[in-house]
Each structure stands twice: as structure tokens, then as C-alpha cells.
């Protein structure tokens, strides 16, 4: 299911991939020489990208706290320190990436759709995540929220 209008921002289901998912996060409207405008798409798995930091614009991709807590319980902490004290990413955690594609709307608007892609390291982890977060993956909220 996709949005029918360029201005729609309601949550929609993720697109499943082999070992993860692709989630529409924001829509970029470009208008010539003017700065782009961004519409944040409602969703319940990842934090909304923070557009300002002390160095300018930042569109970091991170799971919401309750999802991080579940992943930590299931896969272990997101990072740990090695024998020399350096931080190391937990390789069992899903990798998050950005992707984008252009979209031409029937009303003559052209946008860039920005997606977060989560790739789990193994099928069992993806299956457990998919089962636990089924409501959110379909664009909804958990029944307990």
C-alpha cells in the first residue's frame, strides 16, 4: 500500500525484503533554487530524523527506545568494548541504511521518497522481529500502546 497523494503523511506498511524491511520515512519536495521542504511520514519503528544539530542538517536513522530495548533483550547490547576499550558494533544487530527514489505524482508534483532499510544478519532474528513488531510493520501501533 502506498500513499495516493503527495501530501499524505499517514503510516503505511513496510516493504519486506529478504531479511528485513524498507520503511518510508520522509518525502522531499524540491522547488528549483529554493531549499527543499520535507514531510515526515508517520511511523512507529524508527525515531523521526532530527533535522538540526550543531553542524547543520542530520538525518540519522535509529530505532525507537522500545524497539532498542527489545533488540537488546533478543540480540544483546548494540555495542560493547573490546579488550583495548574500543567500541565495537554488535554484528547481530540489523544494519540500517538510507535509500531514495524519485516519484512523480498524478497532480504534477515530483518528490524524492526517502526510505530506511533494515537488514537483519540472519533469518531467525528477522522472523522474531517480524512476529513481535507485526502491528508496527503494518503501519499501525501495538495493541498495548
Amino acid at each position: 500500500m502506498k500513499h495516493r497523494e503527495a501530501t499524505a503523511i499517514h503510516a503505511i506498511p513496510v516493504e519486506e525484503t529478504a531479511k528485513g524491511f524498507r520503511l518510508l520515512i520522509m518525502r522531499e519536495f524540491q522547488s528549483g533554487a529554493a531549499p527543499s521542504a520535507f514531510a515526515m511520514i508517520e511511523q512507529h519503528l524508527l525515531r523521526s530524523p532530527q533535522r538540526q544539530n550543531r553542524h547543520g542538517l542530520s538525518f540519522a536513522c535509529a530505532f525507537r527506545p522500545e524497539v532498542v530495548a527489545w533488540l537488546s533483550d533478543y540480540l544483546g547490547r548494540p555495542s560493547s568494548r573490546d579488550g583495548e576499550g574500543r567500541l565495537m558494533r554488535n554484528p547481530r544487530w540489523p544494519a540500517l541504511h538510507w535509500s531514495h527514489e524519485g516519484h512523480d505524482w498524478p497532480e504534477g508534483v515530483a518528490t524524492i521518497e526517502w526510505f530506511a532499510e533494515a537488514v537483519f544478519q540472519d533469518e531467525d532474528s528477522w522472523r522474531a522481529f517480524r512476529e513481535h513488531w507485526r502491528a508496527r510493520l503494518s503501519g499501525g501501533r501495538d495493541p498495548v500502546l
Side-chain angles (χ1 to χ4, degrees):
M1 173 196 288
K2 297 188 183 253
H3 289 135
R4 293 186 176 158
E5 299 173 349
T7 56
I9 60 166
H10 60 276
I12 57 174
V14 302
E15 295 175 37
E16 288 195 27
T17 61
K19 286 193 293 186
F21 62 88
R22 182 172 119 139
L23 175 63
L24 179 62
I25 299 290
M26 67 184 153
R27 183 170 291 129
E28 180 180 354
F29 295 85
Q30 296 180 324
S31 58
S36 295
F38 293 89
M40 304 308 292
I41 307 302
E42 179 188 13
Q43 50 84 25
H44 311 288
L45 286 164
L46 302 174
R47 292 180 182 209
S48 294
Q50 299 299 309
R51 291 189 55 212
Q52 292 190 3
N53 65 27
R54 67 182 193 183
H55 301 294
L57 295 179
S58 171
F59 294 103
C61 209
F63 287 106
R64 288 182 183 247
E66 63 273 20
V67 178
V68 169
W70 185 89
L71 285 167
S72 295
D73 287 344
Y74 189 81
L75 299 173
R77 295 177 53 162
S79 64
S80 61
R81 297 200 182 267
D82 67 8
E84 297 178 15
R86 295 177 298 216
L87 278 177
M88 295 176 40
R89 182 185 182 282
N90 180 345
R92 296 183 64 210
W93 268 61
L96 290 172
H97 307 283
W98 282 105
S99 68
H100 66 283
E101 60 185 46
H103 187 83
D104 294 321
W105 297 87
E107 59 266 28
V109 175
T111 63
I112 297 174
E113 308 289 286
W114 288 93
F115 298 88
E117 296 182 2
V119 179
F120 287 77
Q121 303 309 311
D122 60 82
E123 183 62 36
D124 290 339
S125 298
W126 167 227
R127 189 178 306 113
F129 186 90
R130 186 175 54 223
E131 180 64 29
H132 187 83
W133 298 104
R134 175 177 289 139
R136 292 190 188 194
L137 290 165
S138 4
R141 290 187 169 271
D142 302 319
V144 295
L145 292 179

mmCIF file of all heavy atoms in Angstrom, residues 10-46:
data_model
loop_
_atom_site.group_PDB
_atom_site.id
_atom_site.type_symbol
_atom_site.label_atom_id
_atom_site.label_comp_id
_atom_site.label_asym_id
_atom_site.label_seq_id
_atom_site.Cartn_x
_atom_site.Cartn_y
_atom_site.Cartn_z
ATOM 1 N N HIS A 10 0.326 9.798 6.537
ATOM 2 C CA HIS A 10 -0.077 8.733 7.454
ATOM 3 C C HIS A 10 0.818 7.502 7.272
ATOM 4 O O HIS A 10 1.428 7.301 6.226
ATOM 5 C CB HIS A 10 -1.555 8.361 7.249
ATOM 6 C CG HIS A 10 -1.864 7.881 5.874
ATOM 7 N ND1 HIS A 10 -2.135 8.729 4.827
ATOM 8 C CD2 HIS A 10 -1.921 6.625 5.361
ATOM 9 C CE1 HIS A 10 -2.356 8.025 3.736
ATOM 10 N NE2 HIS A 10 -2.229 6.753 4.028
ATOM 11 N N ALA A 11 0.879 6.696 8.319
ATOM 12 C CA ALA A 11 1.713 5.495 8.298
ATOM 13 C C ALA A 11 1.209 4.510 7.246
ATOM 14 O O ALA A 11 0.007 4.365 7.037
ATOM 15 C CB ALA A 11 1.705 4.834 9.671
ATOM 16 N N ILE A 12 2.147 3.854 6.584
ATOM 17 C CA ILE A 12 1.822 2.798 5.621
ATOM 18 C C ILE A 12 2.690 1.577 5.952
ATOM 19 O O ILE A 12 3.720 1.699 6.610
ATOM 20 C CB ILE A 12 2.064 3.246 4.151
ATOM 21 C CG1 ILE A 12 3.513 3.697 3.944
ATOM 22 C CG2 ILE A 12 1.068 4.339 3.762
ATOM 23 C CD1 ILE A 12 3.847 4.012 2.495
ATOM 24 N N PRO A 13 2.283 0.387 5.515
ATOM 25 C CA PRO A 13 3.077 -0.809 5.809
ATOM 26 C C PRO A 13 4.475 -0.744 5.186
ATOM 27 O O PRO A 13 4.691 -0.079 4.176
ATOM 28 C CB PRO A 13 2.270 -1.943 5.162
ATOM 29 C CG PRO A 13 0.880 -1.415 5.065
ATOM 30 C CD PRO A 13 1.033 0.066 4.834
ATOM 31 N N VAL A 14 5.405 -1.440 5.823
ATOM 32 C CA VAL A 14 6.756 -1.539 5.286
ATOM 33 C C VAL A 14 6.750 -2.423 4.047
ATOM 34 O O VAL A 14 5.812 -3.192 3.827
ATOM 35 C CB VAL A 14 7.742 -2.127 6.327
ATOM 36 C CG1 VAL A 14 7.782 -1.300 7.589
ATOM 37 C CG2 VAL A 14 7.441 -3.582 6.624
ATOM 38 N N GLU A 15 7.793 -2.308 3.261
ATOM 39 C CA GLU A 15 8.033 -3.247 2.171
ATOM 40 C C GLU A 15 9.022 -4.269 2.722
ATOM 41 O O GLU A 15 10.125 -3.910 3.118
ATOM 42 C CB GLU A 15 8.646 -2.533 0.965
ATOM 43 C CG GLU A 15 7.744 -1.514 0.325
ATOM 44 C CD GLU A 15 8.471 -0.759 -0.784
ATOM 45 O OE1 GLU A 15 9.281 -1.379 -1.517
ATOM 46 O OE2 GLU A 15 8.247 0.453 -0.885
ATOM 47 N N GLU A 16 8.626 -5.529 2.750
ATOM 48 C CA GLU A 16 9.538 -6.554 3.259
ATOM 49 C C GLU A 16 10.601 -6.872 2.231
ATOM 50 O O GLU A 16 10.341 -6.860 1.027
ATOM 51 C CB GLU A 16 8.768 -7.816 3.637
ATOM 52 C CG GLU A 16 7.952 -7.632 4.895
ATOM 53 C CD GLU A 16 7.476 -8.941 5.489
ATOM 54 O OE1 GLU A 16 8.145 -9.991 5.284
ATOM 55 O OE2 GLU A 16 6.444 -8.914 6.162
ATOM 56 N N THR A 17 11.798 -7.151 2.718
ATOM 57 C CA THR A 17 12.906 -7.578 1.882
ATOM 58 C C THR A 17 13.318 -8.980 2.345
ATOM 59 O O THR A 17 12.693 -9.539 3.246
ATOM 60 C CB THR A 17 14.089 -6.593 1.988
ATOM 61 O OG1 THR A 17 14.539 -6.546 3.344
ATOM 62 C CG2 THR A 17 13.681 -5.195 1.533
ATOM 63 N N ALA A 18 14.348 -9.532 1.761
ATOM 64 C CA ALA A 18 14.756 -10.906 2.083
ATOM 65 C C ALA A 18 14.970 -11.117 3.581
ATOM 66 O O ALA A 18 14.460 -12.068 4.153
ATOM 67 C CB ALA A 18 16.008 -11.276 1.314
ATOM 68 N N LYS A 19 15.723 -10.248 4.235
ATOM 69 C CA LYS A 19 15.981 -10.377 5.673
ATOM 70 C C LYS A 19 15.757 -9.047 6.380
ATOM 71 O O LYS A 19 16.543 -8.648 7.220
ATOM 72 C CB LYS A 19 17.407 -10.865 5.919
ATOM 73 C CG LYS A 19 17.608 -12.329 5.601
ATOM 74 C CD LYS A 19 18.921 -12.876 6.126
ATOM 75 C CE LYS A 19 20.092 -12.268 5.404
ATOM 76 N NZ LYS A 19 21.380 -12.861 5.782
ATOM 77 N N GLY A 20 14.672 -8.380 6.053
ATOM 78 C CA GLY A 20 14.407 -7.116 6.712
ATOM 79 C C GLY A 20 13.270 -6.370 6.062
ATOM 80 O O GLY A 20 12.340 -6.967 5.522
ATOM 81 N N PHE A 21 13.380 -5.042 6.117
ATOM 82 C CA PHE A 21 12.293 -4.221 5.604
ATOM 83 C C PHE A 21 12.800 -2.877 5.122
ATOM 84 O O PHE A 21 13.903 -2.452 5.448
ATOM 85 C CB PHE A 21 11.215 -4.014 6.679
ATOM 86 C CG PHE A 21 11.702 -3.300 7.909
ATOM 87 C CD1 PHE A 21 11.680 -1.912 8.002
ATOM 88 C CD2 PHE A 21 12.177 -4.017 8.998
ATOM 89 C CE1 PHE A 21 12.104 -1.258 9.138
ATOM 90 C CE2 PHE A 21 12.618 -3.378 10.147
ATOM 91 C CZ PHE A 21 12.582 -1.990 10.220
ATOM 92 N N ARG A 22 11.952 -2.231 4.352
ATOM 93 C CA ARG A 22 12.195 -0.889 3.835
ATOM 94 C C ARG A 22 10.994 -0.048 4.263
ATOM 95 O O ARG A 22 9.849 -0.425 4.026
ATOM 96 C CB ARG A 22 12.319 -0.956 2.318
ATOM 97 C CG ARG A 22 12.610 0.335 1.640
ATOM 98 C CD ARG A 22 12.888 0.028 0.189
ATOM 99 N NE ARG A 22 11.920 0.714 -0.625
ATOM 100 C CZ ARG A 22 12.206 1.325 -1.760
ATOM 101 N NH1 ARG A 22 13.423 1.284 -2.241
ATOM 102 N NH2 ARG A 22 11.292 1.938 -2.435
ATOM 103 N N LEU A 23 11.258 1.083 4.919
ATOM 104 C CA LEU A 23 10.222 1.897 5.523
ATOM 105 C C LEU A 23 10.321 3.331 5.014
ATOM 106 O O LEU A 23 11.386 3.948 5.103
ATOM 107 C CB LEU A 23 10.394 1.877 7.043
ATOM 108 C CG LEU A 23 9.492 2.752 7.890
ATOM 109 C CD1 LEU A 23 8.040 2.346 7.737
ATOM 110 C CD2 LEU A 23 9.908 2.664 9.351
ATOM 111 N N LEU A 24 9.233 3.862 4.484
ATOM 112 C CA LEU A 24 9.191 5.247 4.037
ATOM 113 C C LEU A 24 9.257 6.156 5.256
ATOM 114 O O LEU A 24 8.420 6.058 6.154
ATOM 115 C CB LEU A 24 7.913 5.522 3.235
ATOM 116 C CG LEU A 24 7.733 6.945 2.724
ATOM 117 C CD1 LEU A 24 8.844 7.340 1.749
ATOM 118 C CD2 LEU A 24 6.365 7.101 2.064
ATOM 119 N N ILE A 25 10.257 7.032 5.280
ATOM 120 C CA ILE A 25 10.490 7.904 6.431
ATOM 121 C C ILE A 25 10.117 9.352 6.136
ATOM 122 O O ILE A 25 9.525 10.025 6.956
ATOM 123 C CB ILE A 25 11.985 7.865 6.853
ATOM 124 C CG1 ILE A 25 12.369 6.455 7.258
ATOM 125 C CG2 ILE A 25 12.279 8.860 7.945
ATOM 126 C CD1 ILE A 25 11.754 5.992 8.547
ATOM 127 N N MET A 26 10.501 9.838 4.959
ATOM 128 C CA MET A 26 10.188 11.229 4.641
ATOM 129 C C MET A 26 10.109 11.435 3.137
ATOM 130 O O MET A 26 10.591 10.632 2.349
ATOM 131 C CB MET A 26 11.187 12.191 5.280
ATOM 132 C CG MET A 26 12.572 12.129 4.762
ATOM 133 S SD MET A 26 13.611 13.260 5.720
ATOM 134 C CE MET A 26 15.168 12.448 5.530
ATOM 135 N N ARG A 27 9.476 12.525 2.796
ATOM 136 C CA ARG A 27 9.278 12.899 1.399
ATOM 137 C C ARG A 27 9.893 14.286 1.214
ATOM 138 O O ARG A 27 9.622 15.195 1.982
ATOM 139 C CB ARG A 27 7.777 12.918 1.101
ATOM 140 C CG ARG A 27 7.416 13.208 -0.312
ATOM 141 C CD ARG A 27 5.924 12.967 -0.569
ATOM 142 N NE ARG A 27 5.659 11.530 -0.499
ATOM 143 C CZ ARG A 27 4.704 10.981 0.243
ATOM 144 N NH1 ARG A 27 3.891 11.714 0.948
ATOM 145 N NH2 ARG A 27 4.550 9.677 0.251
ATOM 146 N N GLU A 28 10.712 14.405 0.196
ATOM 147 C CA GLU A 28 11.385 15.673 -0.098
ATOM 148 C C GLU A 28 10.711 16.337 -1.294
ATOM 149 O O GLU A 28 10.572 15.734 -2.349
ATOM 150 C CB GLU A 28 12.857 15.418 -0.402
ATOM 151 C CG GLU A 28 13.646 16.654 -0.722
ATOM 152 C CD GLU A 28 15.106 16.357 -1.007
ATOM 153 O OE1 GLU A 28 15.545 15.191 -0.846
ATOM 154 O OE2 GLU A 28 15.810 17.294 -1.406
ATOM 155 N N PHE A 29 10.303 17.582 -1.095
ATOM 156 C CA PHE A 29 9.703 18.375 -2.159
ATOM 157 C C PHE A 29 10.753 19.389 -2.611
ATOM 158 O O PHE A 29 11.229 20.183 -1.804
ATOM 159 C CB PHE A 29 8.471 19.143 -1.656
ATOM 160 C CG PHE A 29 7.343 18.253 -1.239
ATOM 161 C CD1 PHE A 29 7.294 17.718 0.040
ATOM 162 C CD2 PHE A 29 6.327 17.952 -2.121
ATOM 163 C CE1 PHE A 29 6.247 16.900 0.428
ATOM 164 C CE2 PHE A 29 5.271 17.137 -1.751
ATOM 165 C CZ PHE A 29 5.235 16.604 -0.461
ATOM 166 N N GLN A 30 11.130 19.346 -3.860
ATOM 167 C CA GLN A 30 12.114 20.283 -4.387
ATOM 168 C C GLN A 30 11.406 21.318 -5.243
ATOM 169 O O GLN A 30 10.477 20.992 -5.986
ATOM 170 C CB GLN A 30 13.159 19.553 -5.207
ATOM 171 C CG GLN A 30 13.963 18.579 -4.369
ATOM 172 C CD GLN A 30 15.007 17.864 -5.187
ATOM 173 O OE1 GLN A 30 14.789 17.552 -6.337
ATOM 174 N NE2 GLN A 30 16.150 17.623 -4.572
ATOM 175 N N SER A 31 11.863 22.560 -5.106
ATOM 176 C CA SER A 31 11.238 23.621 -5.905
ATOM 177 C C SER A 31 12.309 24.551 -6.459
ATOM 178 O O SER A 31 12.509 25.658 -5.972
ATOM 179 C CB SER A 31 10.215 24.395 -5.074
ATOM 180 O OG SER A 31 10.834 24.941 -3.929
ATOM 181 N N GLY A 32 13.015 24.060 -7.442
ATOM 182 C CA GLY A 32 14.009 24.881 -8.121
ATOM 183 C C GLY A 32 15.157 25.300 -7.219
ATOM 184 O O GLY A 32 15.767 24.481 -6.568
ATOM 185 N N ALA A 33 15.398 26.610 -7.181
ATOM 186 C CA ALA A 33 16.531 27.133 -6.411
ATOM 187 C C ALA A 33 16.230 27.249 -4.919
ATOM 188 O O ALA A 33 17.130 27.448 -4.120
ATOM 189 C CB ALA A 33 16.936 28.495 -6.961
ATOM 190 N N ALA A 34 14.972 27.115 -4.527
ATOM 191 C CA ALA A 34 14.599 27.220 -3.112
ATOM 192 C C ALA A 34 15.043 25.961 -2.366
ATOM 193 O O ALA A 34 15.152 24.886 -2.958
ATOM 194 C CB ALA A 34 13.087 27.396 -2.984
ATOM 195 N N PRO A 35 15.305 26.088 -1.063
ATOM 196 C CA PRO A 35 15.654 24.890 -0.283
ATOM 197 C C PRO A 35 14.523 23.872 -0.319
ATOM 198 O O PRO A 35 13.347 24.228 -0.424
ATOM 199 C CB PRO A 35 15.837 25.431 1.140
ATOM 200 C CG PRO A 35 16.085 26.889 0.977
ATOM 201 C CD PRO A 35 15.330 27.302 -0.257
ATOM 202 N N SER A 36 14.878 22.622 -0.214
ATOM 203 C CA SER A 36 13.880 21.550 -0.198
ATOM 204 C C SER A 36 13.003 21.647 1.040
ATOM 205 O O SER A 36 13.436 22.100 2.093
ATOM 206 C CB SER A 36 14.565 20.182 -0.203
ATOM 207 O OG SER A 36 15.256 19.982 -1.401
ATOM 208 N N ALA A 37 11.778 21.182 0.907
ATOM 209 C CA ALA A 37 10.867 21.032 2.046
ATOM 210 C C ALA A 37 10.721 19.535 2.293
ATOM 211 O O ALA A 37 10.743 18.737 1.356
ATOM 212 C CB ALA A 37 9.516 21.655 1.720
ATOM 213 N N PHE A 38 10.584 19.158 3.550
ATOM 214 C CA PHE A 38 10.491 17.747 3.905
ATOM 215 C C PHE A 38 9.201 17.480 4.655
ATOM 216 O O PHE A 38 8.812 18.253 5.530
ATOM 217 C CB PHE A 38 11.667 17.325 4.786
ATOM 218 C CG PHE A 38 12.985 17.355 4.070
ATOM 219 C CD1 PHE A 38 13.750 18.510 4.059
ATOM 220 C CD2 PHE A 38 13.447 16.250 3.395
ATOM 221 C CE1 PHE A 38 14.964 18.552 3.392
ATOM 222 C CE2 PHE A 38 14.659 16.274 2.725
ATOM 223 C CZ PHE A 38 15.414 17.427 2.722
ATOM 224 N N ALA A 39 8.534 16.399 4.319
ATOM 225 C CA ALA A 39 7.364 15.928 5.046
ATOM 226 C C ALA A 39 7.771 14.648 5.765
ATOM 227 O O ALA A 39 8.236 13.700 5.131
ATOM 228 C CB ALA A 39 6.209 15.659 4.085
ATOM 229 N N MET A 40 7.636 14.635 7.086
ATOM 230 C CA MET A 40 7.949 13.446 7.863
ATOM 231 C C MET A 40 6.745 12.513 7.800
ATOM 232 O O MET A 40 5.617 12.925 8.037
ATOM 233 C CB MET A 40 8.244 13.814 9.319
ATOM 234 C CG MET A 40 9.358 14.848 9.473
ATOM 235 S SD MET A 40 10.888 14.449 8.620
ATOM 236 C CE MET A 40 11.433 13.060 9.539
ATOM 237 N N ILE A 41 6.991 11.256 7.491
ATOM 238 C CA ILE A 41 5.936 10.265 7.372
ATOM 239 C C ILE A 41 5.733 9.599 8.731
ATOM 240 O O ILE A 41 6.696 9.179 9.374
ATOM 241 C CB ILE A 41 6.295 9.196 6.312
ATOM 242 C CG1 ILE A 41 6.659 9.850 4.975
ATOM 243 C CG2 ILE A 41 5.164 8.186 6.159
ATOM 244 C CD1 ILE A 41 5.596 10.727 4.354
ATOM 245 N N GLU A 42 4.485 9.504 9.168
ATOM 246 C CA GLU A 42 4.193 8.859 10.441
ATOM 247 C C GLU A 42 4.623 7.394 10.374
ATOM 248 O O GLU A 42 4.361 6.705 9.397
ATOM 249 C CB GLU A 42 2.693 8.934 10.723
ATOM 250 C CG GLU A 42 2.301 8.266 12.012
ATOM 251 C CD GLU A 42 0.797 8.173 12.193
ATOM 252 O OE1 GLU A 42 0.044 8.400 11.232
ATOM 253 O OE2 GLU A 42 0.390 7.844 13.314
ATOM 254 N N GLN A 43 5.306 6.923 11.397
ATOM 255 C CA GLN A 43 5.668 5.519 11.522
ATOM 256 C C GLN A 43 6.043 5.264 12.962
ATOM 257 O O GLN A 43 6.240 6.199 13.728
ATOM 258 C CB GLN A 43 6.766 5.126 10.522
ATOM 259 C CG GLN A 43 7.965 6.013 10.472
ATOM 260 C CD GLN A 43 8.996 5.662 11.540
ATOM 261 O OE1 GLN A 43 9.066 4.537 12.007
ATOM 262 N NE2 GLN A 43 9.789 6.634 11.930
ATOM 263 N N HIS A 44 6.125 3.995 13.360
ATOM 264 C CA HIS A 44 6.243 3.654 14.772
ATOM 265 C C HIS A 44 7.417 2.738 15.097
ATOM 266 O O HIS A 44 7.440 2.143 16.163
ATOM 267 C CB HIS A 44 4.933 3.012 15.243
ATOM 268 C CG HIS A 44 3.722 3.800 14.839
ATOM 269 N ND1 HIS A 44 3.387 4.999 15.419
ATOM 270 C CD2 HIS A 44 2.798 3.589 13.879
ATOM 271 C CE1 HIS A 44 2.304 5.483 14.847
ATOM 272 N NE2 HIS A 44 1.924 4.641 13.905
ATOM 273 N N LEU A 45 8.388 2.634 14.189
ATOM 274 C CA LEU A 45 9.547 1.772 14.415
ATOM 275 C C LEU A 45 10.833 2.555 14.644
ATOM 276 O O LEU A 45 11.658 2.169 15.466
ATOM 277 C CB LEU A 45 9.758 0.839 13.217
ATOM 278 C CG LEU A 45 8.766 -0.305 13.097
ATOM 279 C CD1 LEU A 45 8.822 -0.907 11.705
ATOM 280 C CD2 LEU A 45 9.064 -1.356 14.138
ATOM 281 N N LEU A 46 11.015 3.619 13.892
ATOM 282 C CA LEU A 46 12.250 4.395 13.963
ATOM 283 C C LEU A 46 11.964 5.793 14.499
ATOM 284 O O LEU A 46 10.867 6.316 14.338
ATOM 285 C CB LEU A 46 12.892 4.509 12.575
ATOM 286 C CG LEU A 46 13.237 3.189 11.892
ATOM 287 C CD1 LEU A 46 13.723 3.436 10.477
ATOM 288 C CD2 LEU A 46 14.277 2.425 12.685
#
